[in-house]
Amino acid sequence: MTRKPTFVRKGRFLMEGGYDMDREYQSRIAYTKDLINKADYIVIGAGAGLSAAAGIQYGGQRFTDNFAPFIEKYGLTDMYSSGFYPFPTEEERWAYWAKHISLNRYEVGPTKLYENLFQLVKKANYFVITTNVDSQFELAGFPLENIFEVQGNYGYLQCAKGCHDSLYDNKLLVNEMIANMENCRIHSNLVPKCSECGGEMDPHLRINQYFVQNEAWNNSNDAYEGFINESKGKNLLLLEFGVGFNTPGIIRYSFEQMTYQNEHTKLIRFNMDHPNGPKENREKTIAFTEDILPVLLELNK
């Protein structure tokens, strides 16, 4: 009779007692593969850390290489905080956002990390919930009907006051802004205006109370909730990638609650900085603090 490995807690990982770190890592890999194969339902929860691991960093050299004129003129420090910078004019604000959107949505293309994640689950019964807004799941091949982008998407504009719920594809406008930018400004005739109220427009991002939750957003929300309801009482595997504490209530706390409440639910957490969860879920959680891409490559073997 083959004896199943007994996992005990050591440090941040579920470890097989008495083995070295390499064997412990291989034990987590083998156990995760087994959970994926046996899962009736898989939910992928993705935060900013997943895209950062894919190379879409909002700071460091990627920021300084692409935003040098904006850094010199406004003293900007990173792409995240720059989204809240009080630019003096709409021409300057949209010059920044055009570059930001172009770099993170239209220039980056599909990444190896997301493509490997798709390979891992493409034959499974899965759903994606993400706070990322860069369309990386779609670009990697995930069907749109299996994705819930809770916080919006870089590819669309909305009325800044949410006066109506239509969204507007921005690719052509962003390209034109980039082509007609000078001294961190765009031409005034390129500043988008709401077709209904004549007011300002914003990227479709949850930056304030005016974020548009239209029919498509509600349909995705309903599809996600339906998937979770269907999974009750079944083998549910939660794969959480790079979710920190910026908006933990959307994915991290929700996943921990489902793990605690449902007997047949397991949580695999991929997080270099914040791998630990509540002690009540200790025996139902595996943590990976290694780089995500090598782990996915190993899981795909």
Side-chain angles (χ1 to χ4, degrees):
M1 185 173 101
T2 302
R3 179 177 175 270
K4 291 184 178 180
T6 300
F7 290 89
V8 295
R9 178 64 59 171
K10 181 177 179 181
R12 294 190 284 188
F13 311 117
L14 287 171
M15 296 184 61
E16 190 175 350
Y19 289 103
D20 60 24
M21 282 300 293
D22 182 64
R23 180 59 185 271
E24 178 271 323
Y25 172 71
Q26 291 301 325
S27 293
R28 282 183 281 133
I29 291 290
Y31 190 51
T32 300
K33 285 184 177 181
D34 187 56
L35 290 176
I36 291 172
N37 290 332
K38 292 180 178 178
D40 299 312
Y41 294 80
I42 295 176
V43 177
I44 296 169
L50 182 60
S51 285
I56 309 174
Q57 293 97 357
Y58 280 18
Q61 186 174 349
R62 185 169 182 262
F63 175 64
T64 56
D65 284 351
N66 286 283
F67 290 89
F70 294 88
I71 294 169
E72 182 178 357
K73 186 172 183 177
Y74 305 107
L76 305 181
T77 58
D78 62 87
M79 277 182 266
Y80 179 78
S81 63
S82 297
F84 300 94
Y85 185 85
F87 292 97
T89 66
E90 282 292 284
E91 288 81 1
E92 291 166 277
R93 182 169 82 99
W94 278 108
Y96 170 78
W97 272 113
K99 183 59 181 174
H100 183 121
I101 292 169
S102 178
L103 180 67
N104 294 304
R105 172 60 182 87
Y106 299 121
E107 297 176 34
V108 66
T111 57
K112 188 175 181 181
L113 190 153
Y114 277 87
E115 289 175 333
N116 273 273
L117 179 53
F118 180 56
Q119 291 301 314
L120 184 65
V121 301
K122 68 179 182 179
K123 296 181 180 179
N125 182 26
Y126 69 87
F127 205 96
V128 174
I129 179 171
T130 181
T131 54
N132 296 338
V133 295
D134 50 27
S135 296
Q136 275 295 306
F137 282 103
E138 179 186 354
L139 291 172
F142 287 83
L144 284 174
E145 60 267 25
N146 288 43
I147 306 169
F148 181 23
E149 295 174 320
V150 184
Q151 305 290 64
N153 187 291
Y154 279 140
Y156 299 97
L157 303 182
Q158 66 160 81
C159 172
K161 295 299 183 181
C163 79
H164 65 296
D165 65 3
S166 293
L167 302 179
Y168 302 89
D169 187 285
N170 64 27
K171 185 175 183 179
L172 294 179
L173 178 60
V174 164
N175 288 342
E176 193 172 1
M177 289 177 176
I178 295 291
N180 292 279
M181 189 183 301
E182 186 176 356
N183 192 28
C184 301
R185 296 175 63 93
I186 63 167
H187 293 175
S188 297
N189 66 335
L190 294 177
V191 173
K193 296 294 183 181
C194 177
S195 60
E196 298 294 323
C197 69
E200 297 175 358
M201 301 284 281
D202 273 338
H204 183 231
L205 307 174
R206 193 185 296 275
I207 56 178
N208 55 37
Q209 71 271 31
Y210 301 114
F211 176 72
V212 168
Q213 296 180 183
N214 62 1
E215 183 178 3
W217 190 98
N218 289 323
N219 288 341
S220 294
N221 183 45
D222 291 344
Y224 173 66
E225 291 183 354
F227 190 87
I228 295 299
N229 288 332
E230 289 175 10
S231 73
K232 290 179 180 177
K234 305 293 179 61
N235 290 326
L236 171 62
L237 180 61
L238 304 173
L239 302 177
E240 182 192 290
F241 293 90
V243 180
F245 291 95
N246 189 19
T247 54
I250 296 173
I251 296 173
R252 188 180 182 102
Y253 293 162
S254 174
F255 276 24
E256 289 176 348
Q257 185 178 45
M258 284 189 283
T259 302
Y260 176 72
Q261 292 179 341
N262 302 317
E263 178 184 358
H264 302 291
T265 298
K266 297 289 194 302
L267 171 62
I268 313 294
R269 172 168 283 154
F270 300 81
N271 198 309
M272 189 175 293
D273 299 318
H274 307 289
N276 296 321
K279 64 181 185 301
E280 291 84 0
N281 288 339
R282 186 170 296 171
E283 301 307 319
K284 301 174 71 179
T285 303
I286 295 178
F288 286 92
T289 60
E290 295 84 0
D291 289 342
I292 297 174
L293 180 56
V295 175
L296 290 178
L297 291 171
E298 192 74 22
L299 291 172
N300 272 316
K301 288 182 179 178

